[in-house]
Amino acid sequence: MLKIQDLHLSFGGIKALKGISFEAVPGEITGVIGPNGAGKTSLFNAISGFYTPDKGSVHFDGRDISGLGPDRRAVLGMARTFQNIALFRGMTVLDNIKLGAHTRLNTTLWQALRYFGQARSDELALRRDIEERVIDFLEIDHIRKLPITMLPYGLQKRVELGRALAMQPRVLMLDEPVAGMNREETADMARFILDVQEEFGTTILLVEHDMHMVMDICTRVVVLNFGEQIAEGSPEEVSGNPAVIKAYLGAAA
Amino acid sequence: MINGNLKSSYGSDERIVNNGYKQAFVYGSFLCLAAFALFANDYMILIACQVGILLVAVVGINILTGYTGLISLGHGAFVAIGAYAVTILHNAMDGIVPDALTALIAIPVAVTITALIGIIVGLPSLRVKGLYLAVATLAASFIVIFIVENETFAGYTGGVVGINTPVPNLLGWELDTKREMFIFISVSAVLALLAGQNLFRTRVGRAFIAIRDRDYSAEILGISLLRYKLMSFALSAAYCGMAGALFAYFYARILPEQFELELSLELIAAVIVGGMGRTLGPLFGVILIVLVPELIKVTASVVTNGDTASTRIIAPLQEIIFGLLLIFFLLKEPLGINHIVDRLIRAANRWPFARG
């Protein structure tokens, strides 16, 4: 489904990614972990199309998408969230989530100006779909009409997940979905992520620092350190891997 | 207080006038507009027409600047293109197409031409943002005015001395009085506002706001920045082109100097003062920007009482006073008149339980 092959990325003299290769497990959750500065977010940006890799390729459904821009990749069915929430702050929760469904609608400019007819029926169908499939699912009914700026951090994260879900993606990339959350919020978010995977069968790629969560919900884990892929395997294999322990805790004296 | 406002379908929740108060306001405004057309005196009609023409343009600016977050200092030029295109088309069709149809052909063609030029002027927006974009669009405005004034095209545009404009004839209805023009202008302005509002109930308008609020996030949702930025430019230019067409029909003669930087700035000022990215912001802004100088003028003429010596002193003061009022207003209400209205509505909603 999503396959990364020998990905190299550098900024000037800094080599951010040095030959990353792995495959996201279809219909399962794959975790990407590593210490700060390991290249996790750079990897995400390269996969979603913001960075052009120096070498290597990203395959989606057997097709090389390395040359496509972020908006084209979204059309193919890739969604993502950002580490530091990237919602549209001037809009309500409902409008933010509706934006996620942008590529699923066909309303043209001319139809939009008239509204009555095609645009109206599309919008009403969308509203119903979003209310029932996203807002109800994520339990955010009570805040749907509020502007983003009025929401606490944890809820903003959940709305961002909702916006990604509205795309009905086949691959969902979550960049630190529980960063800065307390234990209860983390547990809630983990449950939502598992629900998404179970209910929609979405392939999920997850960057996260919370080891408990990664070990609990991921089927496969990829470990990065200084841009290099130092381990890959099941959570159990990875947590026993000497290279991983060394990267996280430092070598024994 | 808003009560009795239970919605039982998504459709009723998605309406523009989704409660009784909004309905009363909208339908009441239509009645007032009709009464105004029937009973207002010629002076009031003249002012109202100026408001209506500018309003059409400012709704366009609001789409571009208020909703898409792109600044243009060149939109006065699009008003010029609309006005000159309509005039030139009328002259070209004179005697070939029946008079009753000329305007109905000229307006859509002029608006389309303006939109296409809008796309070209919008091209820099893909590379530059903010002030740099403002400067790039400013250049476009200079080029348009230069072409209009140039000797080579003076046969079509009348050059620096301007050109006489046609009287529109809509299927046999000749709009040869200001009052008739007012009806045409107000219908156009209401449709412009309605279309502008409809836009933001659909994916197109939402994409514009997404680009304004966070462009990389818009891209990740599959919104092509290229496509939507240019669409926003084309649409705002089309609105300005429509305003230009109304301008040409309303006045007996148009001059290139009427469409220079001052007009572009006036359009931006109106949208900022009224409230950027709000449906009725342009309406409030245009009313303020047309009425306040007019009120100052009337006050000044009362003060001077026709005395030439004091008029000479007061005249330049009028613009200074207007400028100071604008600055003062923006310091007190940076979010525009619409924000005052919001506060009033909120207070009314809570009454009698809480204030503020």
Side-chain angles (χ1 to χ4, degrees):
Chain A
M1 177 144 244
L2 182 68
K3 196 171 167 195
I4 287 96
Q5 268 177 339
D6 195 31
L7 208 63
H8 284 76
L9 179 71
S10 60
F11 302 104
I14 300 163
K15 297 205 165 19
L17 298 174
K18 298 176 239 178
I20 310 295
S21 304
F22 68 92
E23 201 169 336
V25 191
E28 306 269 346
I29 305 175
T30 306
V32 177
I33 60 170
N36 287 327
K40 305 181 295 291
T41 298
S42 296
L43 174 66
F44 258 38
N45 283 341
I47 297 175
S48 53
F50 284 112
Y51 298 155
T52 315
D54 306 332
K55 210 183 125 192
S57 63
V58 180
H59 285 263
F60 187 73
D61 268 349
R63 178 180 162 195
D64 189 349
I65 56 165
S66 309
L68 300 182
D71 55 319
R72 299 298 310 152
R73 297 186 194 203
V75 174
L76 292 177
M78 271 169 97
R80 79 170 275 193
T81 64
F82 291 83
Q83 187 176 347
N84 42 4
I85 304 166
L87 289 165
F88 306 110
R89 301 181 68 81
M91 304 172 100
T92 62
V93 169
L94 194 56
D95 277 344
N96 264 282
I97 297 177
K98 279 181 180 174
L99 260 162
H102 183 86
T103 55
R104 294 201 282 126
L105 299 168
N106 307 307
T107 313
T108 61
L109 177 60
W110 183 235
Q111 287 169 339
L113 291 171
R114 286 178 302 158
Y115 190 71
F116 271 94
Q118 191 62 41
R120 182 167 183 274
S121 56
D122 284 355
E123 283 301 315
L124 291 186
L126 171 69
R127 175 78 189 269
R128 175 177 294 276
D129 177 60
I130 277 174
E131 290 280 358
E132 287 164 9
R133 215 180 42 85
V134 179
I135 292 187
D136 193 45
F137 179 78
L138 293 177
E139 297 161 22
I140 47 178
D141 317 50
H142 57 298
I143 53 162
R144 59 159 91 86
K145 293 273 176 84
L146 292 183
I148 295 300
T149 37
M150 285 183 65
L151 301 180
Y153 177 82
L155 276 180
Q156 292 194 15
K157 281 272 190 191
R158 207 187 294 175
V159 173
E160 203 187 8
L161 176 64
R163 188 178 68 185
L165 286 184
M167 294 175 75
Q168 297 186 346
R170 291 189 300 139
V171 170
L172 177 61
M173 298 165 59
L174 304 170
D175 196 350
E176 301 207 17
V178 301
M181 286 191 182
N182 64 30
R183 203 172 287 181
E184 195 187 332
E185 289 170 327
T186 304
D188 279 347
M189 184 56 94
R191 181 168 56 82
F192 285 126
I193 295 171
L194 281 172
D195 282 351
V196 170
Q197 181 236 336
E198 278 167 20
E199 196 152 329
F200 307 118
T202 315
T203 303
I204 298 175
L205 196 60
L206 176 98
V207 160
E208 190 44 68
H209 275 298
D210 189 313
M211 281 311 136
H212 286 295
M213 177 171 147
V214 171
M215 297 305 165
D216 276 354
I217 70 174
C218 294
T219 355
R220 199 163 182 80
V221 178
V222 176
V223 190
L224 305 188
N225 191 26
F226 294 114
E228 272 172 87
Q229 185 173 338
I230 56 172
E232 189 193 345
S234 68
E236 294 77 28
E237 288 165 14
V238 163
S239 55
N241 185 313
V244 176
I245 296 168
K246 188 181 161 213
Y248 268 92
L249 300 176
Chain B
M1 202 163 66
I2 290 184
N3 49 25
N5 195 30
L6 180 74
K7 310 283 194 331
S8 54
S9 72
Y10 294 130
S12 61
D13 196 37
E14 294 271 339
R15 290 188 64 186
I16 297 178
V17 283
N18 56 7
N19 66 48
Y21 295 90
K22 286 185 189 169
Q23 275 171 20
F25 170 73
V26 170
Y27 300 134
S29 308
F30 287 157
L31 280 181
C32 292
L33 216 53
F36 190 89
L38 287 173
F39 302 116
N41 64 29
D42 288 349
Y43 171 69
M44 285 155 77
I45 289 282
L46 180 79
I47 300 292
C49 286
Q50 290 176 2
V51 168
I53 294 170
L54 271 184
L55 177 59
V56 175
V58 174
V59 170
I61 300 288
N62 195 28
I63 291 172
L64 184 75
T65 307
Y67 286 108
T68 322
L70 303 168
I71 301 177
S72 164
L73 288 180
H75 268 56
F78 295 125
V79 181
I81 294 169
Y84 276 97
V86 155
T87 309
I88 293 167
L89 284 165
H90 269 267
N91 291 341
M93 286 190 280
D94 192 30
I96 304 168
V97 177
D99 280 352
L101 294 176
T102 318
L104 291 181
I105 299 170
I107 294 174
V109 173
V111 169
T112 310
I113 292 172
T114 322
L116 293 177
I117 297 173
I119 293 177
I120 298 168
V121 173
L123 283 173
S125 72
L126 306 171
R127 307 292 303 184
V128 294
K129 288 182 193 173
L131 289 174
Y132 300 95
L133 180 60
V135 173
T137 50
L138 184 61
S141 156
F142 287 144
I143 293 169
V144 169
I145 301 295
F146 173 80
I147 291 173
V148 169
E149 288 182 344
N150 198 287
E151 285 297 316
T152 324
F153 307 103
Y156 301 102
T157 64
V160 274
V161 293
I163 189 168
N164 286 335
T165 57
V167 172
N169 184 326
L170 303 174
L171 300 173
W173 179 35
E174 193 156 29
L175 305 171
D176 51 0
T177 67
K178 296 293 180 218
R179 203 170 293 267
E180 285 168 305
M181 268 310 292
F182 172 74
I183 296 171
F184 183 44
I185 290 171
S186 49
V187 169
S188 309
V190 167
L191 288 178
L193 270 175
L194 180 66
Q197 176 61 20
N198 278 342
L199 191 63
F200 295 97
R201 304 161 79 190
T202 66
R203 72 164 194 156
V204 183
R206 285 195 295 268
F208 289 164
I209 303 178
I211 291 172
R212 174 194 71 189
D213 282 358
R214 217 178 274 263
D215 50 3
Y216 63 87
S217 200
E219 264 189 299
I220 212 77
L221 299 176
I223 295 166
S224 157
L225 297 186
L226 168 87
R227 193 184 163 86
Y228 280 92
K229 279 184 175 178
L230 292 184
M231 205 189 275
S232 183
F233 256 96
L235 191 61
S236 66
Y239 270 95
C240 287
M242 182 64 203
L246 294 173
F247 190 98
Y249 287 142
F250 183 70
Y251 294 103
R253 192 174 179 83
I254 48 175
L255 296 161
E257 65 193 46
Q258 290 170 306
F259 306 102
E260 283 175 7
L261 183 60
E262 197 180 326
L263 177 63
S264 302
L265 291 178
E266 206 167 45
L267 297 175
I268 298 259
V271 78
I272 293 175
V273 167
M276 285 200 285
R278 303 297 306 271
T279 314
L280 291 181
L283 179 63
F284 299 134
V286 170
I287 289 178
L288 185 112
I289 228 154
V290 173
L291 282 194
V292 170
E294 204 60 34
L295 283 175
I296 296 174
K297 204 155 79 186
V298 172
T299 320
S301 70
V302 171
V303 171
T304 55
N305 206 6
D307 177 42
T308 30
S310 48
T311 308
R312 208 169 292 153
I313 304 169
I314 295 281
L317 273 181
Q318 293 178 17
E319 298 209 353
I320 296 174
I321 292 171
F322 180 54
L324 287 176
L325 277 176
L326 273 188
I327 293 170
F328 179 73
F329 181 81
L330 287 176
L331 286 175
K332 292 304 258 180
E333 281 301 335
L335 296 177
I337 302 172
N338 213 315
H339 193 61
I340 302 178
V341 177
D342 284 347
R343 277 208 305 268
L344 290 176
I345 292 175
R346 199 162 55 220
N349 281 348
R350 288 176 178 172
W351 184 86
F353 297 114
R355 283 159 200 266

